[in-house]
Amino acid sequence: MAHAGTLALRHVHKTYQVDGQPLPILSDITLSIAPGEFVSIVGTSGCGKSTLLRLVIGLEDDYQGEILLDGQRIVGTSLDRGIVFQEHRLFPWLTVEQNIGLGLLNAPLPEAEKRASVQRHIALVGLEGFEKAHPHQLSGGMSQRVAIARALVNRPEILLLDEPFGALDAMTRAHLQQELHRIWQAEGITMILVTHDVEEAVFLGDKVVVMEPRPGRIRRIVPVGLAHPRRRADLDFVRIKDDVLREFAGPDGAPAAPPLRPAPRTPLAGDWHFAI
């Protein structure tokens, strides 16, 4: 079982320059995440959810405040932090086991140990028998399983998930939510999920962090004190989901209007396709 990381964000502020003018994106984000905790982050587009993941993964260091992993300030990317995107980003010319093996490219391990780790993680995500398959031979849900295995194969302390099931159909999405919960329990690591789906956030999270724009800030943290496995139709589940949904309602109870101004988007080297 991998070591589970402790993450602390202390008074984090982030500003971009747009047309020569400062545009605050994150304001005074303070959040503590315990080892092995599953935290869901929800919010409307433009509230800085994905920007927050960029900072935690180490793709940017131009911010104010502190982001600490196990008490040490995060500097740059590292094998102790993995990430899964909405798009699986598999290389089409590589097989399942080769795509997963890319996660170990820079790992200081003997080749035999790398191969064994790849096989363990293929089994973890339930893809035995598809080791030699190429991405075009897989469904969308299977491809996302490969992406999850690739992110986990290094045994990171924290796994970040940026809308990992957003492009999938409803049935596949529900099934993979259950699978992600199983994987989280098996690996015992800290997970942070960014999602627009409140039901998904409550189904998976130990707590739900509700963010609001603009600039992005934490409006409320909702604890989810429900045992697993969770049943979406249970009264307590519905009550917590409705409690979170009310945070996005306007004064008259209708859904709040989306932000009028689109958030800026900064292209990344290697075309990571992060949205703010």
Side-chain angles (χ1 to χ4, degrees), residues 169-236:
D169 64 85
M171 292 193 65
T172 301
R173 181 172 188 144
H175 179 65
L176 282 186
Q177 288 167 359
Q178 294 175 327
E179 286 295 283
L180 181 62
H181 174 260
R182 176 185 63 80
I183 292 166
W184 169 61
Q185 288 193 316
E187 291 291 275
I189 65 173
T190 307
M191 290 195 182
I192 304 173
L193 169 72
V194 159
T195 180
H196 286 92
D197 187 333
V198 170
E199 183 174 284
E200 178 174 88
V202 175
F203 183 78
L204 290 167
D206 293 316
K207 60 188 177 189
V208 178
V209 178
V210 181
M211 293 186 63
E212 61 179 343
R214 167 135 344 129
R217 55 203 180 275
I218 295 175
R219 173 183 290 185
R220 185 180 170 205
I221 297 176
V222 181
V224 184
L226 302 177
H228 291 283
R230 293 173 180 168
R231 298 172 58 86
R232 302 169 201 263
D234 283 355
L235 183 61
D236 287 341

Side-chain angles (χ1 to χ4, degrees), residues 31-220:
L31 179 65
S32 295
I33 300 176
E37 193 171 21
F38 196 121
V39 175
S40 302
I41 302 176
V42 297
T44 58
S45 296
C47 72
K49 303 184 302 296
S50 292
T51 296
L52 195 59
L53 290 194
R54 286 168 66 116
L55 298 180
V56 174
I57 201 68
L59 290 172
E60 294 191 33
D61 57 9
D62 181 19
Y63 65 92
Q64 295 75 49
E66 288 187 311
I67 302 178
L68 308 173
L69 178 59
D70 297 331
Q72 301 296 314
R73 185 181 177 93
I74 288 175
V75 179
T77 58
S78 170
L79 297 180
D80 58 19
R81 282 160 282 134
I83 190 164
V84 178
F85 300 95
Q86 181 173 337
E87 299 172 9
H88 55 71
R89 290 175 171 82
L90 302 183
F91 289 99
W93 58 88
L94 299 181
T95 64
V96 165
E97 60 185 2
Q98 289 170 335
N99 267 290
I100 295 173
L102 286 176
L104 292 170
L105 196 61
N106 297 318
L109 299 173
E111 286 303 315
E113 191 170 338
K114 288 183 179 182
R115 288 194 296 271
S117 184
V118 168
Q119 293 306 312
R120 283 196 302 271
H121 284 81
I122 286 174
L124 178 69
V125 298
L127 286 177
E128 301 101 319
F130 291 90
E131 291 87 349
K132 305 299 182 184
H134 287 81
H136 74 275
Q137 298 171 310
L138 306 175
S139 67
M142 294 169 72
S143 296
Q144 201 63 316
R145 288 172 186 248
V146 177
I148 292 170
R150 182 176 59 191
L152 288 171
V153 74
N154 273 310
R155 315 307 300 274
E157 296 184 29
I158 292 180
L159 181 64
L160 309 173
L161 302 120
D162 192 8
E163 287 281 350
F165 309 137
L168 303 176
D169 64 85
M171 292 193 65
T172 301
R173 181 172 188 144
H175 179 65
L176 282 186
Q177 288 167 359
Q178 294 175 327
E179 286 295 283
L180 181 62
H181 174 260
R182 176 185 63 80
I183 292 166
W184 169 61
Q185 288 193 316
E187 291 291 275
I189 65 173
T190 307
M191 290 195 182
I192 304 173
L193 169 72
V194 159
T195 180
H196 286 92
D197 187 333
V198 170
E199 183 174 284
E200 178 174 88
V202 175
F203 183 78
L204 290 167
D206 293 316
K207 60 188 177 189
V208 178
V209 178
V210 181
M211 293 186 63
E212 61 179 343
R214 167 135 344 129
R217 55 203 180 275
I218 295 175
R219 173 183 290 185
R220 185 180 170 205

